Amino acid sequence: MKGLYCKPGDQGDVKFVSQETNVPTNIGDHQVKVQVKSCALSPVDFKLYEDLKLEKEHVPVGREIAGVVLQVGPKVAFFQPDDEVVGILPLEAEQSGLCSVVVTDEYNLVLKPEKVSWFEAAAVIKDGLRAYTALHTLARMAAGQTVLVLDGAGPFGVLAIQLAHYHGVKVLATALSPEDQKFLEELRPSVARVIRVWDSKEDLVDSCLEETGGLGVDIIIDSGVKLFDEEPEAQRHCPHKHDLLTLLSVGGHWVTTEQHLQLDPPDSHILFLKAASLSFLNDEVWTTSRAKQGRYLHILKDVMDKLCTGTFRPQLEDPVPLYEATVSMEMVQSKQTRKRIAVKL
C-alpha cells in the first residue's frame, strides 16, 4: 500500500514522494481501522513540526480523511464496523491520509451524515474547524456584532462568513480580485459590504468605519498581515497591522493567522485604550493538546451537521484521482489554487 509523503529540499523547495506503507496488523484498544474514501489536501507546515519536536525524514501528506470503519479496538465506544466517519489525523500520525487504509484513535473521528458526500466531508472538516475556532472559541461572537473577514472568497473565509451569518452577525468581507468580488456579491445571505482591496481607490479603514458609523468592527479575522511597508508581492493585498488596529471597535477581538505578528508598545497601547484583544488562530492545538477533547469532537460533529443542512456551502475543486495527488499537492503547497482540493480514493 502506497502513501504520499514529503520532505523539505535543500533549496527551500518541497519534494513529494510516494512510498510503501504497512498497515499495523494489531490495533490498540481505542484505535479504529478506516478504509479511506476521500482525503483533502492542505499545505504542510514544516516549521510547526520542528517547533513541536515532531521532525521526521518524511512527513505524511493528507490528514483530513473520510471513510468507512473496517475494524475497531476492544475498548472503542464511539464506532463499529461499517460506520461512515470523517476526521483529522494528528500531526504525529505515521500514515498518510492518501493510504487506502489508515489506523487512528477513535478520538480523532466523528460520524459522517449519510447525506454528505465523502468528498465534501473531507474537504470541509478542517476549514470548518478553523471557522469555529476563530469565531466561537477565540472571538466569542454574538448576534448583532459586526465581523470583518479578510479574503472572504478563500475556502476558510467562505465558511467563516456562512457561520457568522447563521448566528446573526453582520459581515464585511474583502475581495482580492474582481472574480472574488463577483462571487462574494452573489453569496446568500448577502455580505453587508464587499471591500475591493485590489482597487487602490477603495480604502479598507474608511469603508469599515463608514459601514459601522465610525464605531469600528467587533471582530477581525485576517488572512495575513503586512508587518512592514516593504513586503513581498505575495502580501500586496494584506492590510497593514496599523489599519486593523484603527478599524477595531472598543472591546473588539482581532483573530490573526500571522504567527510572526509583532506589536510595538504604541500598538499595544491602542489595544489597551480600546480594551480590545488579540488572539492567534492555530487550529492544530486541538490535536496537539487533549485538554478540550470533548469540545473538539463537538465542533467536528457540528461542522458536519451544518454541511448536511446546507448552512455550509463550500467552494471546492472537482475531486481529483489518486494518480494526480502529487501534482495537486505541489499546487496546494505553493498556494497556486484558491479552492480546497480533495482526492478520491
Side-chain angles (χ1 to χ4, degrees):
M1 180 181 66
K2 287 191 173 183
L4 187 63
Y5 297 80
C6 66
K7 63 178 180 179
D10 299 331
Q11 308 297 324
D13 57 334
V14 179
K15 297 179 179 178
F16 294 95
V17 293
S18 180
Q19 64 181 34
E20 287 292 334
T21 307
N22 294 322
V23 181
T25 51
N26 298 320
I27 63 175
D29 288 347
H30 292 280
Q31 288 189 315
V32 178
K33 184 182 287 186
V34 178
Q35 180 183 2
V36 180
K37 296 290 188 179
S38 184
C39 175
L41 303 178
S42 298
V44 177
D45 186 347
F46 292 103
K47 183 67 169 65
L48 185 60
Y49 278 90
E50 181 184 334
D51 291 341
L52 297 175
K53 305 293 189 290
L54 294 173
E55 295 171 273
K56 313 170 187 178
E57 183 182 357
H58 292 96
V59 177
V61 169
R63 293 172 46 224
E64 304 95 83
I65 62 167
V68 179
V69 174
L70 297 177
Q71 182 184 350
V72 299
K75 294 184 179 179
V76 169
F78 297 157
F79 307 108
Q80 55 190 13
D82 298 326
D83 279 347
E84 298 181 351
V85 295
V86 59
I88 303 173
L89 300 178
L91 287 168
E92 65 268 19
E94 297 293 334
Q95 287 181 282
S96 162
L98 290 167
C99 295
S100 57
V101 176
V102 300
V103 174
T104 187
D105 289 341
E106 63 173 324
Y107 312 114
N108 298 320
L109 304 168
V110 294
L111 291 170
K112 178 186 77 68
E114 283 186 23
K115 294 181 181 178
V116 175
S117 69
W118 303 113
F119 163 63
E120 286 185 321
V124 167
I125 192 74
K126 187 176 180 67
D127 288 320
L129 174 65
R130 283 173 64 82
Y132 263 82
T133 305
L135 290 170
H136 281 296
T137 309
L138 300 178
R140 308 287 185 183
M141 74 172 167
Q145 291 183 321
T146 302
V147 59
L148 169 65
V149 179
L150 298 165
D151 188 15
F156 163 58
V158 169
L159 297 192
I161 289 171
Q162 291 166 350
L163 183 61
H165 275 146
Y166 178 81
H167 289 280
V169 174
K170 179 180 178 180
V171 179
L172 316 179
T174 63
L176 306 188
S177 66
E179 293 77 21
D180 285 358
Q181 179 187 346
K182 183 175 184 295
F183 167 75
L184 289 170
E185 289 175 345
E186 292 174 352
L187 274 181
R188 294 294 179 270
S190 59
V191 175
R193 181 160 182 168
V194 178
I195 302 165
R196 306 186 305 272
V197 295
W198 54 270
D199 185 353
S200 58
K201 297 178 182 176
E202 185 151 2
D203 184 79
L204 176 64
V205 175
D206 290 345
S207 299
C208 290
L209 293 180
E210 178 184 328
E211 195 64 38
T212 58
L215 298 177
V217 298
D218 300 294
I219 300 169
I220 298 171
I221 311 292
D222 74 37
S223 59
V225 180
K226 190 183 294 183
L227 302 179
F228 311 102
D229 292 331
E230 298 296 328
E231 289 283 359
E233 179 68 13
Q235 288 191 291
R236 68 186 186 280
H237 291 318
C238 290
H240 199 284
K241 61 180 179 179
H242 296 141
D243 292 340
L244 298 185
L245 290 169
T246 301
L247 57 84
L248 193 61
S249 72
V250 169
H253 300 278
W254 174 10
V255 180
T256 183
T257 59
E258 179 54 65
Q259 57 183 298
H260 300 298
L261 180 66
Q262 300 176 38
L263 291 186
D264 300 318
D267 303 329
S268 299
H269 190 60
I270 293 174
L271 286 174
F272 167 75
L273 291 175
K274 293 186 174 187
S277 66
L278 170 67
S279 301
F280 289 88
L281 177 57
N282 174 19
D283 53 283
E284 297 293 356
V285 296
W286 294 108
T287 56
T288 54
S289 169
R290 298 298 184 181
K292 295 181 172 61
Q293 183 65 39
R295 182 180 297 180
Y296 171 60
L297 293 177
H298 176 78
I299 291 174
L300 296 188
K301 183 178 182 299
D302 214 38
V303 169
M304 286 297 105
D305 289 343
K306 284 184 169 48
L307 183 59
C308 183
T309 57
T311 300
F312 283 157
R313 300 175 304 285
Q315 297 299 303
L316 309 173
E317 296 283 6
D318 292 332
V320 301
L322 184 58
Y323 62 83
E324 291 183 8
T326 302
V327 175
S328 298
M329 189 59 205
E330 288 172 349
M331 293 172 58
V332 170
Q333 189 71 26
S334 58
K335 299 181 180 178
Q336 295 177 21
T337 177
R338 289 281 290 154
K339 296 181 181 179
R340 184 66 66 209
I341 296 177
V343 176
K344 183 179 180 182
L345 278 76

